[in-house]
Amino acid sequence: MSVEPVNPPVAERKPVVIHLHGDEIVDEFAWLENRDDPAVIAYLEAENAYAEAVMAPAAALRERLYAEMRGRIKEDDRSVPAPRGCYRYYSRTVAGAEYPLMCRTEGDDGPEEVLLDLNALAVGHAFCRLGPYEPSPNQRLLAYGLDTTGSIIYTLFIKDLATGELLDAPIEQVDEAAWADDRTLFYTVFDHAHRAYRLYRHVLGTPPTADVLIYEETDERFSLSLSRTRSGAYLLLTCYSHGGTEVRYLPTADPFADWRVIYPRRPKIDYFVDHHGDYFYIRTNDGAENFRLLRAPVADPSAAVELLPGRAETLIDHLDCFADYLVVYERRAGLRQIRISAPDGSNPRYVSFPEPVYTCGPHVNDEFDTSRLRLSYSSLVTPPSVVEYDMASGVWQVLKQEEIPSGYDPSLYVSERLAATAPDGVQVPISIVYRRDRPRNGGPCLLVGYGAYGYSYDPSFDSKWLSLLDRGFAVAIAHVRGGQELGRQWYEQGRMFHKPNTFSDFIACAEFLIAEGYTAPHQLAISGRSAGGLLMSAVVNARPDLFQAVVAGVPFTNVVIAMLKSDLPLTVTEWEQWGNPAIEAEYRLMRSYDPYLNLKPGPYPHILATAGLHDLQVPYWDPAKWVAKLRTVKTNDTMLLLRTNLQAGHSGHSGRFARLEEFAWEYAFILTALGIAE
């Protein structure tokens, strides 16, 4: 497709030279990093205008796609009420409204109380996201956080649920919050690098300026995570990094007591804690790469005993303690399993699932003394469901399945689990879905992937994909190394010095789909966000011939330059994920795949990159610089578009319909790039 009638913006070149380990890195577009420069905003606006002009012929297609996606949403809906004491908490959406109402009833049939109307709270803001949402133990107060910029930094409020009055003054820069008792609230705050680094204690009726600093994490590699155990007996503060954890605990019955450490941090040792009775339950990789489960007396955590050993083929990735049950979430052969036993580990049994390829996980389980486990369940052909599983009888009941108002017949679609062979011989799983009537002699395909931080890209249902599936697409997920689909080793083999495996795995998956007749290079689109956007930009450098279209959402493309900026949000904490360029061996590895530094003259596929002006995870200038440099080296006339959301951050628009408009735009780009007309 030619875009000659519309001239793209040309970013001015202002070379900045970086000398590192004998190399000279020339960054011609470093000036785009200054968000306060009016010329930078003007450039981003020009790129937005150019993208709109290029895609103007697809405006009607965008509208159709948006209508299809919106038609699959039940606009007037309610989530499954979650029990918490005498109340049932749920969210409710109203037709035409962007945001939900947060509600509760007393008992199953009591009158509805609207605790928060996010539509009202969003008035005057282009962005609105709910963060912490914590009823007090007596459920008379609500601590909640709001982000109105897209930065994922919250202002914390305390609301009297009887009067509707806001108590005390708002607290700024908050990440998480948890009640100890009905008057004592703990919360974590961010530093300038968007790292949760301090824990404070707030006492109701006092100004936030009087809040007491309880703990400050001085190691810049570590962040803080705050939670309250389901038993209600303890608060837990987990200090975590990519290279180890340390957990502190406080009895909620004594909120002014000292926080105590369970086990001091050690390099590369992770452990995570829950509580039951006289014991802490500890999931740890100490002595077991795929984690093992310990039970440690609260009075003496050093006297731990092993309840569940580590297993080479099974990853333990989560646990939940209930009064009479212990629930362990595992991964085996790429699929999640749920193991249920008595609290001492005896009488184990596994939950049975109705499909061979699926995903599942914990839903909202606030109650400690219950035999009913709430699960989320989905597959590539089964819409998300909330399931109540009776841990005593083994009875499985679907409480709610996502409704598709415009209609959906799962029998029209089929999913498969495939495997591609990576260059080193490793088998890389692929999950794929398509219509049963789709011919098996090529056809359009969207291949997605992520491959970082141990995040597993599970095969779950996405109603937006139906707009592609019903146009003849296959949609495939490449379960590349860097995730944890096949255990902890799968993650370790996709980070630091092994990071190139992520890219070669993805390329192997694309080549496999082509070789097996699912698609062809001129029919293949790829998509990934954030670290998945790094994956997209790296593989397109390595094999631009293999893909027809690329959607790189908020892509992390300036790996070396970003990791040199220790004052940039998340950089220091990320050194253990990507490497520290100050160390030559780590620099050489990053330099070998860095998407921005490895651009070279030649033809490229159609490319759409997106950015968020208020993004603190991947700054807007990452994709902006990448696109600006791409314009200087790309030799063909394929589309190269940059869309920057000037009112949001890493996740794009916060409203449910505004988000659909973004997806409709991306899908219209893919269809246009692949030459698929209505």
Side-chain angles (χ1 to χ4, degrees), residues 491-675:
Y491 163 54
E492 296 293 346
Q493 287 297 311
R495 74 175 181 122
M496 289 293 287
F497 289 103
H498 301 293
K499 189 61 196 173
N501 286 334
T502 304
F503 314 131
S504 56
D505 284 359
F506 191 88
I507 290 170
C509 290
E511 292 177 329
F512 174 85
L513 292 173
I514 293 167
E516 292 297 311
Y518 287 95
T519 190
H522 71 280
Q523 296 174 305
L524 179 57
I526 60 175
S527 177
R529 291 182 56 81
S530 194
L534 163 63
L535 172 59
M536 298 302 109
S537 50
V539 300
V540 81
N541 276 353
R543 290 294 305 276
D545 60 303
L546 199 57
F547 316 108
Q548 180 71 3
V550 181
V551 176
V554 291
F556 179 40
T557 58
N558 286 233
V559 181
V560 170
I561 291 172
M563 290 294 102
L564 283 170
K565 299 176 183 293
S566 59
D567 60 338
L568 195 69
L570 304 180
T571 292
V572 175
T573 63
E574 297 285 271
W575 282 344
E576 292 174 320
Q577 186 68 222
W578 311 102
N580 182 351
I583 300 170
E584 183 170 1
E586 297 179 11
Y587 159 71
R588 294 291 171 198
L589 188 280
M590 287 187 284
R591 180 68 178 79
S592 71
Y593 67 77
D594 183 295
Y596 183 62
L597 300 183
N598 283 287
L599 289 170
K600 54 185 180 294
Y604 283 84
H606 300 282
I607 294 174
L608 167 63
T610 67
L613 186 62
H614 302 288
D615 192 340
L616 295 183
Q617 276 78 3
V618 177
Y620 72 90
W621 49 258
D622 233 311
K625 289 169 58 179
W626 181 58
V627 168
K629 188 173 180 180
L630 257 171
R631 293 206 190 284
T632 70
V633 298
K634 190 167 78 72
T635 58
N636 56 345
D637 64 353
T638 52
M639 293 183 288
L640 173 57
L641 308 179
L642 171 67
R643 294 191 80 220
T644 302
N645 191 323
L646 300 174
Q647 300 175 322
H650 195 61
S651 58
H653 281 299
S654 55
R656 55 177 177 158
F657 303 132
R659 284 291 289 136
L660 290 183
E661 290 176 351
E662 292 181 332
F663 282 112
W665 214 103
E666 293 177 10
Y667 283 23
F669 168 83
I670 290 171
L671 291 167
T672 300
L674 269 58

Side-chain angles (χ1 to χ4, degrees), residues 147-372:
D147 168 22
T148 55
T149 67
S151 61
I152 319 181
I153 297 174
Y154 301 99
T155 299
L156 187 69
F157 303 89
I158 300 173
K159 184 176 184 178
D160 185 319
L161 295 178
T163 66
E165 178 186 4
L166 293 179
L167 307 178
D168 304 340
I171 303 172
E172 303 293 339
Q173 297 291 116
V174 170
D175 180 23
E176 296 174 318
W179 295 93
D181 58 22
D182 297 319
R183 294 190 57 79
T184 315
L185 180 70
F186 289 83
Y187 60 92
T188 57
V189 300
F190 289 108
D191 65 6
H192 70 282
H194 200 242
R195 178 178 68 100
Y197 79 122
R198 283 180 172 176
L199 173 71
Y200 284 91
R201 182 181 63 221
H202 176 76
V203 177
L204 202 66
T206 64
T209 54
D211 291 352
V212 176
L213 174 62
I214 300 299
Y215 177 76
E216 179 172 351
E217 179 54 65
T218 58
D219 189 331
E220 292 183 315
R221 298 172 301 170
F222 283 78
S223 300
L224 304 180
S225 178
L226 176 66
S227 62
R228 178 184 169 102
T229 62
R230 182 177 290 101
S231 66
Y234 291 95
L235 295 185
L236 301 175
L237 183 71
T238 302
C239 310
Y240 66 94
S241 75
H242 295 299
T245 65
E246 179 179 75
V247 180
R248 286 168 165 76
Y249 66 98
L250 173 81
T252 55
D254 190 3
F256 292 87
D258 292 333
W259 290 68
R260 301 175 64 185
V261 175
I262 294 180
Y263 301 134
R265 67 187 66 175
R266 289 187 288 153
K268 301 186 183 302
I269 298 301
D270 293 319
Y271 71 97
F272 305 92
V273 179
D274 202 347
H275 168 258
H276 182 284
D278 295 329
Y279 297 95
F280 287 127
Y281 284 69
I282 299 170
R283 179 175 67 92
T284 180
N285 67 348
D286 186 8
E289 184 177 51
N290 275 338
F291 289 82
R292 61 190 179 122
L293 182 60
L294 310 178
R295 187 168 74 160
V298 172
D300 181 12
S302 66
V305 298
E306 185 176 81
L307 284 188
L308 189 59
R311 290 152 291 167
E313 77 288 353
T314 303
L315 172 71
I316 300 175
D317 66 359
H318 186 66
L319 66 96
D320 280 329
C321 290
F322 294 88
D324 297 317
Y325 301 94
L326 172 64
V327 181
V328 178
Y329 299 86
E330 303 176 342
R331 285 189 184 273
R332 189 182 310 129
L335 294 175
R336 296 197 83 174
Q337 311 281 345
I338 300 178
R339 181 184 190 272
I340 297 174
S341 70
D344 63 1
S346 63
N347 190 29
R349 62 271 192 203
Y350 283 85
V351 177
S352 296
F353 295 99
E355 295 175 278
V357 180
Y358 62 88
T359 186
C360 66
H363 195 59
V364 181
N365 292 286
D366 293 323
E367 294 285 83
F368 182 65
D369 190 4
T370 181
S371 65
R372 299 181 183 276

